[in-house]
Amino acid sequence: MPIAMRWFYKAWYRWGTPPWVTGPRTELVHLVEDGTLRPGRAIDLGCGTGANAIYLARHGFDVIGVDYADSAIERARNDADVARVGVDFRVGDVTDMPDVQGPFDLIVDYGTYDDLPDADRPACLAEILRVSTAGTTLLMWCFEREPGGWHWLLGRIFGGDGAVRPGEVREAFEGTFEISKIDGGETGMRTMPTWAAYLMTRRAG
């Protein structure tokens, strides 16, 4: 992850509140409540302030949360203490997690893979494959758009991409995962990318 983007997020979590810090995400809550996702070992990649990880812990999951912004992890640990749940929050890079050992039953990624530069995405995928096994579920939420526009430009300025190209998730993951697009649509802002949520299951072999 580029240094400029690291410091951008660290500062935002330290002195502000990013707009995605809104509590556990809708798709995750629905999948837990309808029984699609059952308690097991889970990891939240790019966990931020930990709302998804804390929600999973409250519902019986054994959870690790990883984020490179130490300021986000500090807030996540504090929120977990307030919620009186145990989550193993760690400062780390999702493209290189030597201290994280799988396999996990559930991998959650809300807006992390799509934020990485193109060059870093294969390493993130390699880590996902390393800590998963046949039957592992991957829930991925991402922005999708063709390159261009201010959202893409902002990502380039800070060293990331900010969105995946339409079809890129399937191209990257379909060789090892069964993929279903479970939600998606417009963001409500003409200049913003569309978004999509994918539910994937790791194939055997």
Side-chain angles (χ1 to χ4, degrees):
M1 175 65 70
I3 292 176
M5 180 165 281
R6 288 179 183 270
W7 284 106
F8 172 75
Y9 282 117
K10 286 182 178 184
W12 204 351
Y13 282 118
R14 179 74 65 193
W15 293 293
T17 300
W20 55 84
V21 179
T22 58
R25 301 297 289 269
T26 301
E27 301 81 14
L28 177 64
V29 171
H30 286 169
L31 291 168
V32 170
E33 290 185 348
D34 72 10
T36 299
L37 300 180
R38 299 183 180 276
R41 192 161 184 251
I43 184 168
D44 186 0
L45 303 178
C47 64
T49 57
N52 288 328
I54 290 169
Y55 174 82
L56 289 170
R58 280 175 163 165
H59 287 79
F61 290 80
D62 178 14
V63 192
I64 293 176
V66 179
D67 201 290
Y68 63 72
D70 53 356
S71 50
I73 292 297
E74 289 173 16
R75 292 174 64 171
R77 288 171 177 163
N78 181 69
D79 287 351
D81 287 343
V82 171
R84 297 185 179 182
V85 295
V87 179
D88 183 1
F89 285 115
R90 306 182 185 186
V91 177
D93 185 336
V94 299
T95 67
D96 184 18
M97 303 182 292
D99 63 335
V100 174
Q101 299 302 318
F104 291 93
D105 302 295
L106 172 65
I107 300 172
V108 175
D109 175 353
Y110 267 85
T112 300
Y113 183 84
D114 65 344
D115 215 21
L116 295 171
D118 278 343
D120 287 348
R121 288 175 185 166
C124 182
L125 174 56
E127 285 293 83
I128 289 172
L129 295 178
R130 182 181 66 82
V131 301
S132 63
T133 189
T136 294
T137 299
L138 170 60
L139 174 61
M140 176 175 285
W141 189 103
C142 56
F143 284 119
E144 290 186 330
R145 77 168 306 151
E146 297 292 348
W150 76 267
H151 186 269
W152 176 83
L153 179 60
L154 184 64
R156 288 295 180 179
I157 290 171
F158 286 99
D161 279 342
V164 295
R165 300 180 307 278
E168 183 177 345
V169 168
R170 292 188 180 277
E171 291 171 8
F173 289 87
E174 66 182 355
T176 47
F177 286 87
E178 296 287 346
I179 304 172
S180 296
K181 183 176 179 180
I182 59 172
D183 209 348
E186 300 292 332
T187 58
M189 297 176 62
R190 184 175 57 85
T191 56
M192 289 288 284
T194 59
W195 63 275
Y198 294 94
L199 189 63
M200 315 184 207
T201 303
R202 178 81 186 264
R203 295 190 178 102

